[in-house]
Amino acid sequence: MKPGAIVGLKDYTAGFPTPSMASTVVHLAFAGLLAAALLGPYFDRRAVLVVFAATAFPDLDSFIALFSTVGHREALHTFVVPIVVGVAWFVDTRLREESFVRERWGQWGVAVGWMAVVAYAVAGIGLDFVGAGVNPLWPVHDQAYALNGKIELSDQRGVIQTFVDLSPEEGGAPAPSRRLGNSSEIEMNTGVNPDPSGTKTDPERIFPVVRSGWQLLVLVVGSVVTAVRLRQNRE
């Protein structure tokens, strides 16, 4: 195992609860909820399929992990991808006189494309970013982070926030409380690659569906809302 490796649901940061990774179906349910809320008249079965494909795409890096040190929640769980695609989409649909997308799919294609970019960033990457952590700027910056913390209002201490650690460690260096390591230091087990270290003779393959109450809530609400909106469109 690599030094400092993070495997599965290990409690990677002292003082914070064990992370709860969202499964692909939870990601899809959240994406469906976003599409139902934001797509308006362009919400239909085709749009949902496009949004689902964009949301599930980051999880393909589970297979990349089989032959690369840059693997799950790193290679495709990077905000660089939706940023680059979003810039390209903006140039084509807003700046070019003859838009490739608009000429072929009209305003439906423009709206669904933007929704797919949002779904990739928020539902595909975001849920993992606030869960077990991702490598959000790879390959520009090879360091995994987890967005974890709290914001409170106290009648004695005022505003209390722990998302950004502003207190220096001894010696004056910033405390990396949510920095998890780079791609050469982190290993994450998945159902596709249950034993990244190769130390087990018969590792158990676990494909998560729901691992917490909030995930079950997102799965149920997102699935129901998406189904209701699709039925309303048919009527």
Side-chain angles (χ1 to χ4, degrees), residues 84-115 117:
V84 171
V85 175
V87 170
W89 209 258
F90 178 82
V91 170
D92 181 74
T93 59
R94 296 292 183 88
L95 301 183
R96 294 185 61 197
E97 293 184 2
E98 296 182 1
S99 167
F100 176 86
V101 173
R102 200 180 300 275
E103 287 183 356
R104 285 155 181 77
W105 297 289
Q107 188 56 33
W108 178 91
V110 175
V112 172
W114 280 120
M115 188 67 248
V117 172

Short mmCIF file of all heavy atoms in Angstrom, two decimals, residues 84-115 117:
data_model
loop_
_atom_site.label_atom_id
_atom_site.label_comp_id
_atom_site.label_asym_id
_atom_site.label_seq_id
_atom_site.Cartn_x
_atom_site.Cartn_y
_atom_site.Cartn_z
N VAL A 84 -13.44 23.44 -19.02
CA VAL A 84 -13.02 23.46 -20.42
C VAL A 84 -14.23 23.29 -21.35
O VAL A 84 -14.37 24.03 -22.34
CB VAL A 84 -11.98 22.35 -20.69
CG1 VAL A 84 -11.71 22.21 -22.18
CG2 VAL A 84 -10.69 22.66 -19.94
N VAL A 85 -15.10 22.33 -21.04
CA VAL A 85 -16.29 22.12 -21.86
C VAL A 85 -17.21 23.34 -21.81
O VAL A 85 -17.77 23.75 -22.83
CB VAL A 85 -17.05 20.86 -21.40
CG1 VAL A 85 -18.35 20.71 -22.17
CG2 VAL A 85 -16.18 19.61 -21.59
N GLY A 86 -17.35 23.93 -20.63
CA GLY A 86 -18.19 25.11 -20.49
C GLY A 86 -17.69 26.28 -21.30
O GLY A 86 -18.48 27.00 -21.94
N VAL A 87 -16.37 26.49 -21.31
CA VAL A 87 -15.79 27.57 -22.12
C VAL A 87 -16.04 27.30 -23.60
O VAL A 87 -16.42 28.21 -24.37
CB VAL A 87 -14.28 27.70 -21.83
CG1 VAL A 87 -13.62 28.64 -22.84
CG2 VAL A 87 -14.05 28.23 -20.42
N ALA A 88 -15.83 26.06 -24.03
CA ALA A 88 -16.06 25.71 -25.43
C ALA A 88 -17.52 25.89 -25.81
O ALA A 88 -17.85 26.39 -26.90
CB ALA A 88 -15.61 24.26 -25.69
N TRP A 89 -18.42 25.51 -24.89
CA TRP A 89 -19.86 25.65 -25.14
C TRP A 89 -20.24 27.13 -25.24
O TRP A 89 -21.04 27.51 -26.09
CB TRP A 89 -20.64 24.98 -24.01
CG TRP A 89 -21.97 24.44 -24.44
CD1 TRP A 89 -23.20 25.02 -24.22
CD2 TRP A 89 -22.23 23.23 -25.14
NE1 TRP A 89 -24.20 24.24 -24.76
CE2 TRP A 89 -23.62 23.14 -25.32
CE3 TRP A 89 -21.41 22.21 -25.64
CZ2 TRP A 89 -24.22 22.08 -25.98
CZ3 TRP A 89 -21.99 21.14 -26.29
CH2 TRP A 89 -23.37 21.09 -26.46
N PHE A 90 -19.64 27.96 -24.39
CA PHE A 90 -19.92 29.40 -24.40
C PHE A 90 -19.45 30.03 -25.71
O PHE A 90 -20.17 30.82 -26.33
CB PHE A 90 -19.22 30.08 -23.22
CG PHE A 90 -19.41 31.57 -23.18
CD1 PHE A 90 -20.56 32.12 -22.63
CD2 PHE A 90 -18.44 32.42 -23.69
CE1 PHE A 90 -20.74 33.51 -22.61
CE2 PHE A 90 -18.60 33.79 -23.67
CZ PHE A 90 -19.75 34.34 -23.13
N VAL A 91 -18.25 29.66 -26.14
CA VAL A 91 -17.72 30.21 -27.39
C VAL A 91 -18.60 29.84 -28.56
O VAL A 91 -18.92 30.67 -29.42
CB VAL A 91 -16.27 29.72 -27.62
CG1 VAL A 91 -15.79 30.08 -29.02
CG2 VAL A 91 -15.34 30.31 -26.58
N ASP A 92 -19.03 28.57 -28.61
CA ASP A 92 -19.83 28.11 -29.74
C ASP A 92 -21.24 28.71 -29.74
O ASP A 92 -21.74 29.12 -30.79
CB ASP A 92 -19.94 26.58 -29.72
CG ASP A 92 -20.75 26.06 -30.89
OD1 ASP A 92 -20.23 26.06 -32.02
OD2 ASP A 92 -21.92 25.65 -30.67
N THR A 93 -21.87 28.78 -28.59
CA THR A 93 -23.28 29.21 -28.55
C THR A 93 -23.47 30.71 -28.36
O THR A 93 -24.55 31.23 -28.64
CB THR A 93 -24.02 28.47 -27.43
OG1 THR A 93 -23.39 28.76 -26.17
CG2 THR A 93 -24.00 26.97 -27.66
N ARG A 94 -22.43 31.40 -27.89
CA ARG A 94 -22.59 32.84 -27.62
C ARG A 94 -21.72 33.72 -28.50
O ARG A 94 -22.11 34.86 -28.80
CB ARG A 94 -22.26 33.11 -26.15
CG ARG A 94 -23.20 32.44 -25.16
CD ARG A 94 -24.59 33.02 -25.21
NE ARG A 94 -25.46 32.43 -24.22
CZ ARG A 94 -25.59 32.87 -22.98
NH1 ARG A 94 -24.85 33.90 -22.57
NH2 ARG A 94 -26.41 32.29 -22.12
N LEU A 95 -20.54 33.27 -28.90
CA LEU A 95 -19.60 34.13 -29.60
C LEU A 95 -19.54 33.87 -31.10
O LEU A 95 -19.31 34.80 -31.88
CB LEU A 95 -18.20 33.97 -28.99
CG LEU A 95 -18.07 34.30 -27.49
CD1 LEU A 95 -16.61 34.18 -27.04
CD2 LEU A 95 -18.60 35.70 -27.20
N ARG A 96 -19.71 32.64 -31.52
CA ARG A 96 -19.63 32.32 -32.95
C ARG A 96 -20.88 32.78 -33.68
O ARG A 96 -22.00 32.70 -33.15
CB ARG A 96 -19.45 30.82 -33.15
CG ARG A 96 -18.13 30.27 -32.66
CD ARG A 96 -18.01 28.80 -33.02
NE ARG A 96 -18.03 28.60 -34.47
CZ ARG A 96 -18.26 27.43 -35.06
NH1 ARG A 96 -18.53 26.36 -34.33
NH2 ARG A 96 -18.25 27.33 -36.37
N GLU A 97 -20.70 33.29 -34.90
CA GLU A 97 -21.85 33.72 -35.69
C GLU A 97 -22.71 32.54 -36.09
O GLU A 97 -23.94 32.63 -36.12
CB GLU A 97 -21.37 34.48 -36.93
CG GLU A 97 -20.71 35.81 -36.61
CD GLU A 97 -20.34 36.56 -37.87
OE1 GLU A 97 -20.64 36.05 -38.98
OE2 GLU A 97 -19.75 37.65 -37.76
N GLU A 98 -22.08 31.41 -36.42
CA GLU A 98 -22.81 30.19 -36.79
C GLU A 98 -22.47 29.11 -35.77
O GLU A 98 -21.39 28.52 -35.81
CB GLU A 98 -22.45 29.75 -38.21
CG GLU A 98 -22.85 30.73 -39.28
CD GLU A 98 -22.53 30.23 -40.66
OE1 GLU A 98 -22.00 29.10 -40.77
OE2 GLU A 98 -22.80 30.94 -41.64
N SER A 99 -23.37 28.86 -34.85
CA SER A 99 -23.14 27.90 -33.78
C SER A 99 -23.35 26.47 -34.27
O SER A 99 -24.41 26.15 -34.83
CB SER A 99 -24.06 28.19 -32.60
OG SER A 99 -24.06 27.12 -31.68
N PHE A 100 -22.37 25.63 -34.07
CA PHE A 100 -22.49 24.21 -34.44
C PHE A 100 -23.65 23.57 -33.69
O PHE A 100 -24.47 22.84 -34.27
CB PHE A 100 -21.18 23.49 -34.12
CG PHE A 100 -21.21 22.01 -34.37
CD1 PHE A 100 -20.94 21.49 -35.62
CD2 PHE A 100 -21.53 21.12 -33.34
CE1 PHE A 100 -20.98 20.12 -35.85
CE2 PHE A 100 -21.58 19.76 -33.57
CZ PHE A 100 -21.31 19.26 -34.83
N VAL A 101 -23.73 23.81 -32.38
CA VAL A 101 -24.78 23.20 -31.55
C VAL A 101 -26.15 23.74 -31.92
O VAL A 101 -27.11 22.98 -32.12
CB VAL A 101 -24.49 23.45 -30.05
CG1 VAL A 101 -25.66 22.97 -29.19
CG2 VAL A 101 -23.19 22.78 -29.63
N ARG A 102 -26.27 25.06 -32.04
CA ARG A 102 -27.58 25.67 -32.29
C ARG A 102 -28.14 25.27 -33.65
O ARG A 102 -29.35 25.07 -33.80
CB ARG A 102 -27.46 27.18 -32.19
CG ARG A 102 -28.79 27.89 -31.95
CD ARG A 102 -28.59 29.39 -31.87
NE ARG A 102 -27.69 29.77 -30.80
CZ ARG A 102 -28.08 29.94 -29.54
NH1 ARG A 102 -29.36 29.76 -29.22
NH2 ARG A 102 -27.21 30.28 -28.61
N GLU A 103 -27.28 25.13 -34.66
CA GLU A 103 -27.75 24.77 -35.99
C GLU A 103 -28.27 23.34 -36.04
O GLU A 103 -29.17 23.03 -36.82
CB GLU A 103 -26.61 24.92 -37.01
CG GLU A 103 -26.28 26.37 -37.34
CD GLU A 103 -25.20 26.47 -38.39
OE1 GLU A 103 -24.67 25.40 -38.80
OE2 GLU A 103 -24.90 27.59 -38.83
N ARG A 104 -27.74 22.45 -35.20
CA ARG A 104 -28.13 21.04 -35.26
C ARG A 104 -29.22 20.66 -34.26
O ARG A 104 -30.05 19.80 -34.54
CB ARG A 104 -26.88 20.16 -35.04
CG ARG A 104 -25.99 20.13 -36.26
CD ARG A 104 -24.56 19.81 -35.94
NE ARG A 104 -23.74 19.82 -37.15
CZ ARG A 104 -23.32 20.94 -37.74
NH1 ARG A 104 -23.64 22.12 -37.24
NH2 ARG A 104 -22.59 20.87 -38.85
N TRP A 105 -29.20 21.27 -33.08
CA TRP A 105 -30.17 20.89 -32.05
C TRP A 105 -31.00 22.05 -31.53
O TRP A 105 -31.81 21.86 -30.64
CB TRP A 105 -29.44 20.21 -30.89
CG TRP A 105 -28.77 18.94 -31.29
CD1 TRP A 105 -29.36 17.75 -31.61
CD2 TRP A 105 -27.36 18.72 -31.43
NE1 TRP A 105 -28.43 16.81 -31.94
CE2 TRP A 105 -27.17 17.37 -31.83
CE3 TRP A 105 -26.22 19.52 -31.26
CZ2 TRP A 105 -25.92 16.83 -32.07
CZ3 TRP A 105 -24.97 18.98 -31.50
CH2 TRP A 105 -24.83 17.64 -31.89
N GLY A 106 -30.77 23.25 -32.06
CA GLY A 106 -31.57 24.39 -31.66
C GLY A 106 -31.34 24.80 -30.21
O GLY A 106 -30.35 24.41 -29.57
N GLN A 107 -32.29 25.53 -29.66
CA GLN A 107 -32.17 26.00 -28.29
C GLN A 107 -32.24 24.85 -27.29
O GLN A 107 -31.68 24.93 -26.19
CB GLN A 107 -33.28 27.02 -27.97
CG GLN A 107 -33.14 27.72 -26.63
CD GLN A 107 -31.81 28.43 -26.47
OE1 GLN A 107 -31.24 28.94 -27.44
NE2 GLN A 107 -31.30 28.48 -25.25
N TRP A 108 -32.92 23.77 -27.67
CA TRP A 108 -32.96 22.58 -26.81
C TRP A 108 -31.53 22.08 -26.57
O TRP A 108 -31.14 21.79 -25.43
CB TRP A 108 -33.78 21.47 -27.47
CG TRP A 108 -33.84 20.19 -26.68
CD1 TRP A 108 -34.76 19.84 -25.75
CD2 TRP A 108 -32.91 19.09 -26.77
NE1 TRP A 108 -34.47 18.58 -25.25
CE2 TRP A 108 -33.34 18.11 -25.85
CE3 TRP A 108 -31.76 18.85 -27.53
CZ2 TRP A 108 -32.66 16.91 -25.68
CZ3 TRP A 108 -31.07 17.65 -27.36
CH2 TRP A 108 -31.52 16.70 -26.44
N GLY A 109 -30.73 21.97 -27.62
CA GLY A 109 -29.37 21.48 -27.47
C GLY A 109 -28.50 22.40 -26.64
O GLY A 109 -27.68 21.94 -25.85
N VAL A 110 -28.70 23.72 -26.82
CA VAL A 110 -27.93 24.68 -26.03
C VAL A 110 -28.24 24.52 -24.55
O VAL A 110 -27.34 24.44 -23.71
CB VAL A 110 -28.23 26.12 -26.49
CG1 VAL A 110 -27.52 27.13 -25.59
CG2 VAL A 110 -27.81 26.32 -27.94
N ALA A 111 -29.54 24.48 -24.22
CA ALA A 111 -29.96 24.38 -22.81
C ALA A 111 -29.53 23.05 -22.19
O ALA A 111 -29.02 23.02 -21.06
CB ALA A 111 -31.48 24.54 -22.71
N VAL A 112 -29.73 21.97 -22.91
CA VAL A 112 -29.37 20.65 -22.38
C VAL A 112 -27.85 20.53 -22.23
O VAL A 112 -27.36 19.91 -21.26
CB VAL A 112 -29.93 19.53 -23.27
CG1 VAL A 112 -29.40 18.17 -22.82
CG2 VAL A 112 -31.45 19.55 -23.25
N GLY A 113 -27.09 21.12 -23.14
CA GLY A 113 -25.65 21.10 -23.02
C GLY A 113 -25.17 21.82 -21.77
O GLY A 113 -24.31 21.31 -21.04
N TRP A 114 -25.72 23.00 -21.51
CA TRP A 114 -25.37 23.71 -20.28
C TRP A 114 -25.77 22.91 -19.05
O TRP A 114 -25.04 22.86 -18.05
CB TRP A 114 -26.04 25.08 -20.25
CG TRP A 114 -25.35 26.13 -21.07
CD1 TRP A 114 -25.86 26.82 -22.13
CD2 TRP A 114 -24.02 26.61 -20.89
NE1 TRP A 114 -24.94 27.69 -22.63
CE2 TRP A 114 -23.79 27.59 -21.88
CE3 TRP A 114 -22.99 26.30 -20.00
CZ2 TRP A 114 -22.58 28.26 -22.00
CZ3 TRP A 114 -21.78 26.97 -20.11
CH2 TRP A 114 -21.59 27.94 -21.10
N MET A 115 -26.92 22.26 -19.11
CA MET A 115 -27.37 21.45 -17.98
C MET A 115 -26.43 20.28 -17.75
O MET A 115 -26.16 19.90 -16.61
CB MET A 115 -28.80 20.95 -18.26
CG MET A 115 -29.46 20.24 -17.07
SD MET A 115 -29.80 21.34 -15.69
CE MET A 115 -28.65 20.72 -14.47
N VAL A 117 -23.22 20.23 -18.38
CA VAL A 117 -22.01 20.76 -17.75
C VAL A 117 -22.23 20.97 -16.25
O VAL A 117 -21.39 20.61 -15.42
CB VAL A 117 -21.59 22.09 -18.42
CG1 VAL A 117 -20.45 22.75 -17.64
CG2 VAL A 117 -21.18 21.86 -19.86
#
